[in-house]
Amino acid sequence: MVPNHSSAAKAVNYLQTRHRFHWGEAIPWILAILVFYFLPGYRLLATQILVMIIFALSLDLIVGYAGIISLGHTAFFGTGAYITALLATNNIPDPIIGLIAAAFGAAILGFLSGWVLLRTTGLTLLVLTMAVTIMLAELANDFDEITGGFDGINFTNSDIFGLIELDQLWYSSSYIYVLIVLFLSFLFIRTIIYAPFGRMLIGIRENPRRMSAIGTPVHQRQVIVYVVSAAIAGIAGALWVQVQGNVTTEVYAFELSGDVLIMLILGGTGRLYGAFLGATVFKILENVTEQVLGTDQPYWQFAIGLVLILTVLFARRGLFGIFEDLGNKWKERGQ
Amino acid sequence: MSPFLNEISTVLVFGLAYAMLLFIISVGLSITMGLMGFANLAHGSFAMMGGYVTVTLVTQSGVPFAAALLISFVAIALLSIPFERFLYRHLYRRSELDQVLLTIGLVFASIAGVTFIWGPDPQLIQMPNYLKGSVDLGFNTFPKYRIFMIIAGAMIVAGLFYGLERTKIGAQIRAAVDNRTMAESVGINTDRLFTWTFALGSGMAALGGGLGIQILGGIKPVFAFEYLVIFLIVVAVGGMGNIRGTFFAALILGIIDFAGKFYFPEGGAFVIFAVTILVLLIRPQGLLGKN
């Protein structure tokens, strides 16, 4: 092992150890288990938060790491949701098969749209991601004999592995089920991020031209990460409707694309745990606002608009960035 | 009169009226994006507020329709100046994502804001007598309002082109779009130019918001989201900062959208998006955009 005093050795050490698990990374999982045991009344909300974390994580892959701005991520969320629901109503009610099919379906859509869309950049790309989502939403509305339209369709899942029932009353098995899927998705994304592929994504985000010059097939790599992100978003959509046993065209709503982006920005982009913090804070604040002020007026929408403006102006690195700054100040004072 | 010609002329007139509306609202967005490189997703919010100002003036204060349009144009143009000065200006040099986020925040807040005041239901407007009913053009009858829309739109288009191509300020705007640094070095105050152009664009959006109330079936809070995509599409297809391009894009997309919905009531709304994706694939910079 190289001694630790030179700066080069420090860099080597950093690169060799940065992917290792830090003890702090256990905190969200411990919290998730504590919520399950001590706040059973909030399991529905907590389940929704877990699903939104998966969705926000998938968005972080493209927005935070690869630097692809998308306002149409519900295209994949909604497609995953509908694939699962339609399988369930057509005699394939197994939740695991539903998840896998949702991931594949969303990945195929991600490949087709990504391959085409990612040839453009900037505003054009943004418009096209929105256009794809709205097109799908229009289709879902027009073919309401299949999709159930605004009223949606109800379905029942079969038991997982024929053993465990997804209960929609106490959300005990559903909560654990979603938590496990979140954990697996998270491990998968974390592995990608710390692999050379992840460093390359950051390179593309920072300077696509230079990455291209040193031999990275930029478009191809962008499509790959877009497909992976789409598949995970599809899984999130599938989970969302599986735990509710109901799907409506709302899963394609444009507002949802905005919401998930806000969750990510609120927590902090390009740092994995930003999605955890952002989705949790967003959903809890939404719930508190609606409980305190009621839902007869869009108070929450107003508040989140202001929060977003303030975040962009004063805390662009999200809540995690604020914590980091505070932590650094505290350390300085200690010295 | 053959039913075929009847149909074609209906599609053309209704589509043209819609296209004019799209142009009036989108042109401001196109200039803002071309001139300042700023992704202003809140443009639809200015149009929406213009619509609400018009509705309120006409239904509650009894102001004549034409005067209400003019007042809302001036009011929203003035209102937009502090936004540009104190909010947008900080983000001209920041990333596109930041601009998108800030302006989405504005969209959310503005939608909630107008819902607090006017409620979620569409606000309708009583048209003055001279715009009610229909007019017989010999081969077909058309609603007077659509004809008015086309004429008003054509006048605004002509005025804009004249202003941009033949006046000094128009030349300055074109110069700044082409090359901002060069424009500054020959003594054009681009900061002030930005502010005025932004105000003009927002005012035009407000005018469009007022004119569109009748065609779009009332003004409602979700307008800022629902139509934002269409305005963005028009700008992207036309080519950012290119007024001629925006005009052609509005014309093509407006007529295609109406024709799609007319001939295919199911799934017709989908046509405009398919056309957009196709155009942007072949020309990512838009029909008349620079490379």
Side-chain angles (χ1 to χ4, degrees):
Chain A
M1 193 64 205
V2 206
N4 247 348
H5 44 261
S6 77
S7 59
K10 252 186 190 165
V12 169
N13 190 40
Y14 168 72
L15 286 173
Q16 280 175 343
T17 55
R18 68 190 172 85
H19 63 278
R20 291 191 189 154
F21 283 99
H22 184 259
W23 63 266
E25 292 185 77
I27 294 174
W29 311 103
I30 295 172
L31 282 178
I33 292 166
L34 289 179
V35 166
F36 181 77
Y37 283 110
F38 294 106
L39 296 169
Y42 289 95
R43 275 186 205 154
L44 170 61
L45 176 65
T47 311
Q48 289 177 342
I49 291 175
L50 294 180
V51 178
M52 279 302 140
I53 293 174
I54 303 180
F55 192 23
L57 270 175
S58 77
L59 189 66
D60 200 15
L61 259 183
I62 59 167
V63 173
Y65 286 96
I68 303 166
I69 310 174
S70 167
L71 264 178
H73 220 47
T74 40
F76 310 117
F77 185 87
T79 303
Y82 265 108
I83 287 176
T84 311
L86 291 176
L87 279 180
T89 51
N90 287 293
N91 294 324
I92 310 177
D94 187 274
I96 306 285
I97 294 179
L99 279 191
I100 295 170
F104 267 100
I108 291 169
L109 180 69
F111 176 71
L112 292 177
S113 62
W115 191 68
V116 172
L117 261 55
L118 290 167
R119 285 162 195 282
T120 63
T121 53
L123 177 80
T124 314
L125 177 59
L126 187 77
V127 171
L128 287 179
T129 58
M130 287 160 92
V132 168
T133 308
I134 291 174
M135 218 160 78
L136 289 171
E138 294 281 354
L139 279 181
N141 270 323
D142 285 338
F143 293 92
D144 52 0
E145 64 273 23
I146 302 171
T147 63
F150 199 71
D151 299 326
I153 37 179
N154 295 315
F155 62 93
T156 41
N157 307 292
S158 64
D159 300 348
I160 301 172
F161 305 128
L163 292 171
I164 308 155
E165 187 195 355
L166 284 181
D167 67 314
Q168 276 148 19
L169 192 58
W170 301 108
Y171 288 94
S172 55
S173 56
S174 303
Y175 182 88
I176 299 293
Y177 168 64
V178 173
L179 187 62
I180 290 172
V181 177
L182 167 63
F183 186 65
L184 295 177
S185 317
F186 170 74
L187 280 186
F188 179 65
I189 293 174
R190 194 180 183 283
T191 311
I192 293 182
I193 292 310
Y194 287 114
F197 183 77
R199 301 314 286 178
M200 187 208 55
L201 289 182
I202 295 173
I204 292 177
R205 178 188 73 196
E206 295 300 322
N207 196 334
R209 211 174 273 186
R210 187 174 294 174
M211 288 306 281
S212 178
I214 62 170
T216 307
V218 171
H219 177 252
Q220 187 213 65
R221 295 300 150 88
Q222 282 180 325
V223 173
I224 292 175
V225 72
Y226 201 69
V227 170
V228 172
S229 169
I232 297 168
I235 290 177
L239 287 173
W240 185 257
V241 295
Q242 276 178 352
V243 295
Q244 296 178 359
N246 169 277
V247 62
T248 68
T249 47
E250 287 282 292
V251 291
Y252 280 119
F254 180 57
E255 281 85 343
L256 189 57
S257 286
D259 283 351
V260 69
L261 189 60
I262 295 173
M263 290 177 204
L264 187 59
I265 300 303
L266 205 58
T269 53
R271 48 172 72 238
L272 285 180
Y273 288 100
F276 286 73
L277 188 62
T280 310
V281 170
F282 184 99
K283 276 294 188 187
I284 290 178
L285 281 182
E286 179 183 49
N287 223 270
V288 169
T289 312
E290 286 177 352
Q291 300 235 326
V292 174
L293 295 172
T295 49
D296 49 329
Q297 291 280 3
Y299 300 110
W300 169 241
Q301 201 180 19
F302 191 72
I304 198 66
L306 292 186
V307 167
L308 192 56
I309 294 169
L310 294 175
T311 310
V312 173
L313 289 179
F314 303 111
R316 182 55 189 82
R317 281 154 57 235
L319 290 170
F320 256 108
I322 295 179
F323 291 153
E324 262 174 14
D325 291 347
L326 288 178
N328 287 341
K329 253 187 202 155
W330 191 65
K331 262 185 207 160
E332 272 170 29
R333 195 170 284 177
Q335 276 167 0
Chain B
M1 183 57 22
S2 76
F4 176 71
L5 200 64
N6 222 344
E7 243 175 39
I8 291 287
S9 59
T10 303
V11 167
L12 276 180
V13 167
F14 278 66
L16 206 57
Y18 184 50
M20 290 299 181
L21 180 65
L22 286 185
F23 176 75
I24 294 171
I25 299 183
S26 311
V27 69
L29 186 61
S30 176
I31 298 180
T32 324
M33 286 186 166
L35 200 57
M36 302 165 217
F38 188 86
N40 179 21
L41 300 195
H43 192 72
S45 292
F46 287 113
M48 173 184 72
M49 286 191 278
Y52 274 108
V53 170
T54 310
V55 162
T56 311
L57 285 174
V58 171
T59 54
Q60 285 176 22
S61 315
V63 178
F65 182 60
L69 286 177
L70 209 64
I71 295 173
S72 86
F73 172 84
V74 175
I76 301 298
L78 289 178
L79 177 80
S80 75
I81 292 177
F83 277 95
E84 199 273 338
R85 280 269 150 122
F86 301 119
L87 215 50
Y88 287 20
R89 183 148 292 188
H90 298 291
L91 282 105
Y92 286 156
R93 286 175 201 285
R94 297 261 292 266
S95 73
E96 221 152 40
L97 179 62
D98 287 357
Q99 301 171 352
V100 164
L101 291 169
L102 178 96
T103 48
I104 284 197
L106 282 176
V107 174
F108 273 80
S110 70
I111 289 181
V114 299
T115 316
F116 292 151
I117 305 174
W118 286 281
D121 299 324
Q123 299 284 313
L124 296 166
I125 197 167
Q126 192 68 23
M127 278 296 133
N129 282 326
Y130 62 90
L131 292 175
K132 271 189 201 157
S134 51
V135 56
D136 195 346
L137 289 186
F139 56 96
N140 200 350
T141 54
F142 302 106
K144 266 187 197 163
Y145 191 77
R146 309 272 162 166
I147 302 289
F148 161 74
M149 197 58 231
I150 294 174
I151 296 171
M155 280 162 56
I156 291 170
V157 173
L160 258 184
F161 275 112
Y162 178 81
L164 274 171
E165 307 276 340
R166 292 275 181 274
T167 65
K168 194 177 163 200
I169 190 128
Q172 288 182 344
I173 292 175
R174 279 182 291 132
V177 170
D178 276 347
N179 190 334
R180 185 176 159 190
T181 324
M182 195 63 202
E184 274 167 5
S185 66
V186 297
I188 296 172
N189 184 345
T190 50
D191 269 3
R192 197 186 302 158
L193 196 67
F194 282 3
T195 308
W196 287 117
T197 320
F198 186 77
L200 178 73
S202 305
M204 295 269 298
L207 187 65
L211 283 168
I213 300 170
Q214 177 77 359
I215 291 185
L216 305 175
I219 185 94
K220 50 183 189 282
V222 289
F223 176 94
F225 255 142
E226 252 178 37
Y227 288 95
L228 168 67
V229 189
I230 310 279
F231 306 145
L232 282 170
I233 281 178
V234 170
V235 172
V237 167
M240 266 168 264
N242 189 314
I243 300 200
R244 217 175 282 258
T246 309
F247 180 65
F248 285 128
L251 219 55
I252 295 169
L253 293 174
I255 293 174
I256 286 182
D257 189 43
F258 189 81
K261 284 174 181 158
F262 185 82
Y263 288 110
F264 312 101
E266 291 234 328
F270 161 96
V271 178
I272 184 173
F273 297 108
V275 171
T276 301
I277 291 173
L278 208 69
V279 170
L280 289 180
L281 273 183
I282 302 166
R283 285 188 67 83
Q285 72 276 33
L287 287 175
L288 297 181
K290 292 177 295 185
N291 252 325

